[in-house]
Amino acid sequence: SEDIASALACLKDGTIDLVLLDLSLPDADGLEGLRALRNASPATPVIICSARDDPALVREAFRLGVSGYLPKSSATDVTRHALQLVRSGGVYVPSQALIETVINEASGERGEEKGTGRRGMDLTPRQLAVLALLEKGMSNKAIARELAIGEITVKAHVSAILRKLGVGNRVQAVLAGHTQKL
């Protein structure tokens, strides 16, 4: 699609299973376009493809539930990997340097908001194992195979992890896990 309005129309048709969002679309207006897409179809994964890699922007995008943030300068094989990862239920974060910056900034805010930097210490060993596999970008199905448990059980563990860490999605859980060094 050439703009957010036409992307929203395609989402209503139900023919879209993944959105690649360019933040420089004429009607994107920063992250407002992302907000509109998330509101229209919260279950559809969104990868932002942007020349901007401002840590505050990236952090806000992940807070809003994107499944990936892909720099426009990414090589073809990196782009292919990111698309495959997100399609399989994983999350793509572009580089270790970027994630460290995002984690450091999120850590400072989380400590002020929650009053504690140790939330989540009550995760069970199995939940910690699931969280470690989430950090690798694995889908629920892949985690179930790896741990030899049912996919429904994985979903229950992921829900418990989100609740215990006080976060709203898998990306935030991974970031919280890194921040708290679980």
Side-chain angles (χ1 to χ4, degrees):
S1 299
E2 295 179 13
D3 56 25
I4 298 295
S6 57
L8 290 169
C10 290
L11 282 172
K12 286 182 184 177
D13 293 343
T15 58
I16 304 295
D17 64 351
L18 175 72
V19 174
L20 268 175
L21 175 62
D22 184 344
L23 294 179
S24 64
L25 288 175
D27 60 345
D29 192 27
L31 292 176
E32 288 308 310
L34 172 61
R35 285 183 181 91
L37 291 170
R38 300 306 300 150
N39 288 336
S41 184
T44 303
V46 176
I47 298 175
I48 291 181
C49 185
S50 180
R52 297 174 54 198
D53 63 356
D54 170 44
L57 176 71
V58 175
R59 185 181 67 243
E60 181 65 10
F62 278 109
R63 191 187 68 73
L64 292 171
V66 297
S67 296
Y69 201 99
L70 190 62
K72 283 187 177 181
S73 60
S74 298
T76 304
D77 59 331
V78 172
T79 301
R80 186 177 301 115
H81 168 72
L83 293 172
Q84 291 171 341
L85 183 63
V86 169
R87 279 198 172 127
S88 70
V91 174
Y92 179 78
V93 180
S95 70
Q96 190 60 35
L98 182 58
I99 194 168
E100 286 172 5
T101 303
V102 171
I103 289 168
N104 289 340
E105 289 185 8
S107 173
E109 289 180 5
R110 187 172 288 108
E112 292 170 14
E113 289 174 11
K114 305 290 185 188
T116 177
R118 303 307 294 170
R119 281 191 72 170
M121 288 305 291
D122 58 344
L123 292 179
T124 67
R126 181 61 89 181
Q127 290 166 348
L128 289 170
V130 169
L131 181 60
L133 297 174
L134 287 175
E135 290 175 358
K136 293 181 179 181
M138 295 176 74
S139 67
N140 288 349
K141 187 179 223 175
I143 292 170
R145 276 194 306 262
E146 179 76 18
L147 298 177
I149 58 177
E151 194 171 347
I152 292 172
T153 304
V154 172
K155 289 179 183 179
H157 285 309
V158 170
S159 294
I161 290 166
L162 297 178
R163 186 181 67 255
K164 287 180 177 182
L165 294 177
V167 297
N169 61 48
R170 296 162 71 102
V171 175
Q172 292 170 342
V174 169
L175 291 175
H178 278 287
T179 301
Q180 297 174 21
K181 295 181 173 51
L182 298 174

